[in-house]
Amino acid sequence: MSSSLFGVFSVSSSGMEAQRIRTQLLAENIANAETTRTPEGGPYRRKDAVFTTINPEQPFSSVLDAQMDAMSGVAVREVVVDQSAPQRRYLPGHPDADKDGYVSFPQLNPAQEMVDLMGASSSYQANVAAVSTAKDMIQRSLDLFR
Amino acid sequence: MSARYVQVTCSMVERVAADTERYMSLLSVRQKLVASNIANADTPGYHTKDINFQEEFQNAISGTNPTVVETQGLYMKNDGNNVNMDREMRLLSENDMRFSLASNLVRSELKSVRLALDGGGSQS
């Protein structure tokens, strides 16, 4: 019977990695909330990570474990770019204004990004808690030898 | 002589230790599932996984791998994900405490065997 607690580390670290990528994208969104010019042309577009389940990398021989299927890590499957129409603001003096005097701004709400950021942060913490608990359990098993 | 001692010791420890080992193994499996659930708390379409702990512990002798089931009756979010973070965090600490209890049990069992081998500590 497979009972290696070490598998928890790969699962939780995949969770931490995914949440970290999400946090990076959210930070990028917040930083570019007012960006009107990008290399692709037009205003900045909001990015979001889409998560998917994966089989985590297994340490050592447990690759053969039947239990492996039950465990699932997480990974960022793709980064979706928001395709909604940009927000138009009337700023005739702006260098990026069109002929009618409107400037295209990114269609994103910083408050929403902040809420998502809090979610990502607490999910990251939950993964850290799972690692720490598994670590304690392994440590207590090892303590039986003493 | 010493081989006989070892054999006696093993059979003494084994009775309690075998059950406790099974218990700890099940806790480890559950811990992995809880970690999976937490990692996938934001994955669309992911369903909470768990084992039926009582039932699996009853199957102690068979030694088969525990069956993983999807937990029913949890609130499903719009993205088809039903991971309840409060439930997972509760299970996380509950598993930890149960594991702690079991390992302390094994430890005290080993301690009493050691005490018996030492002749109640009178010689040391």
Side-chain angles (χ1 to χ4, degrees):
Chain A
M1 190 180 127
S2 82
S3 58
S4 168
L5 272 168
F6 290 99
V8 172
F9 293 142
S10 33
V11 171
S12 294
S13 69
S14 74
M16 283 158 73
E17 192 187 342
Q19 296 297 344
R20 190 174 45 75
I21 294 171
R22 185 177 165 209
T23 309
Q24 279 170 354
L25 292 175
L26 289 168
E28 194 182 323
N29 290 344
I30 294 168
N32 286 292
E34 306 283 329
T35 305
T36 55
R37 209 179 287 179
T38 54
E40 301 86 46
Y44 175 81
R45 288 184 181 277
R46 181 174 188 278
K47 287 176 191 160
D48 205 356
V50 180
F51 291 171
T52 185
T53 56
I54 52 156
N55 277 338
E57 297 158 36
Q58 289 284 306
F60 312 122
S61 59
S62 31
V63 176
L64 296 169
D65 266 340
Q67 200 59 37
M68 195 179 73
D69 295 333
M71 265 201 338
S72 32
V74 63
V76 175
R77 187 182 61 200
E78 59 174 327
V79 175
V80 286
V81 179
D82 180 32
Q83 294 300 331
S84 58
Q87 204 178 31
R88 282 159 64 78
R89 283 186 218 160
Y90 185 64
L91 290 168
H94 198 285
D96 288 329
D98 62 10
K99 60 178 175 7
D100 299 324
Y102 282 96
V103 182
S104 295
F105 278 91
Q107 185 65 271
L108 68 86
N109 180 0
Q112 190 199 329
E113 305 301 314
M114 287 310 291
V115 171
D116 278 1
L117 198 58
M118 283 160 67
S121 168
S122 59
S123 295
Y124 189 90
Q125 279 175 24
N127 280 300
V128 173
V131 170
S132 147
T133 311
K135 202 190 75 189
D136 286 352
M137 285 166 80
I138 290 169
Q139 191 58 53
R140 270 199 294 278
S141 305
L142 293 174
D143 282 349
L144 290 175
F145 289 121
R146 290 201 293 173
Chain B
M1 193 71 174
S2 65
R4 174 77 184 139
Y5 269 132
V6 170
Q7 201 183 353
V8 169
T9 313
C10 284
S11 63
M12 276 167 77
V13 179
E14 243 167 48
R15 250 173 301 153
V16 177
D19 278 354
T20 325
E21 189 200 328
R22 173 77 185 172
Y23 186 67
M24 287 163 93
S25 298
L26 274 179
L27 285 174
S28 303
V29 171
R30 194 174 212 193
Q31 194 68 8
K32 282 198 277 189
L33 294 175
V34 170
S36 300
N37 292 343
I38 291 174
N40 285 290
D42 299 312
T43 308
Y46 179 85
H47 292 188
T48 304
K49 290 175 190 162
D50 202 357
I51 49 172
N52 189 337
F53 203 89
Q54 306 280 334
E55 208 173 276
E56 296 297 344
F57 191 60
Q58 298 298 322
N59 298 341
I61 316 298
S62 65
T64 51
N65 277 336
T67 322
V68 177
V69 291
E70 284 181 2
T71 308
Q72 302 299 313
L74 292 173
Y75 172 72
M76 186 82 75
K77 282 170 269 186
N78 279 340
D79 60 357
N81 178 307
N82 71 350
V83 175
N84 179 344
M85 201 51 111
D86 297 324
R87 175 187 181 274
E88 303 306 325
M89 295 317 272
R90 174 182 68 80
L91 281 177
L92 198 66
S93 45
E94 190 184 308
N95 270 346
D96 195 31
M97 283 189 273
R98 282 171 188 260
F99 198 88
S100 177
L101 183 77
S103 63
N104 281 334
L105 194 68
V106 174
R107 191 211 294 265
S108 65
E109 191 72 16
L110 290 171
K111 202 173 164 186
S112 53
V113 171
R114 203 172 292 149
L115 202 67
L117 286 172
D118 288 349
S122 58
Q123 288 160 354
S124 60

